[in-house]
Amino acid sequence: MSLSIIAFIKGIFAIQSSLKDTFKSVAAAFFGVQSESSRKRDFSQGKLSHFIIVGVISVLIFIASLIAVVSLVMPN
């Protein structure tokens, strides 16, 4: 019983680490500073669906921040 709980917890941390690595990779690629070794690692180990989801979320956040800055700068 305790081994299955430990395996479950390790799985959760692996998913969180993978998601964090995916966000880092997408951010680096978004700004054009991703290294060749990171790009190769992403293509060999990453899941396409994760990169698509994180990429779409990143673009939406970027567009929302641009809209917010423009609305603050431009008078009504």
Side-chain angles (χ1 to χ4, degrees):
M1 177 76 174
S2 64
L3 289 177
S4 63
I5 294 172
I6 292 171
F8 176 73
I9 292 172
K10 284 183 180 179
I12 289 174
F13 284 122
I15 291 170
Q16 288 176 346
S17 176
S18 173
L19 189 59
K20 186 168 82 169
D21 291 340
T22 303
F23 269 106
K24 280 191 210 177
S25 246
V26 168
F30 193 71
F31 292 109
V33 295
Q34 187 175 28
S35 66
E36 182 69 19
S37 61
S38 294
R39 187 187 65 78
K40 286 181 181 178
R41 183 195 68 227
D42 293 341
F43 279 108
S44 66
Q45 296 176 359
K47 290 187 175 182
L48 179 62
S49 61
H50 292 170
F51 285 101
I52 291 172
I53 292 168
V54 170
V56 168
I57 291 170
S58 299
V59 168
L60 292 175
I61 290 172
F62 180 71
I63 290 171
S65 64
L66 284 178
I67 291 172
V69 167
V70 169
S71 7
L72 287 173
V73 173
M74 297 296 292
N76 290 333

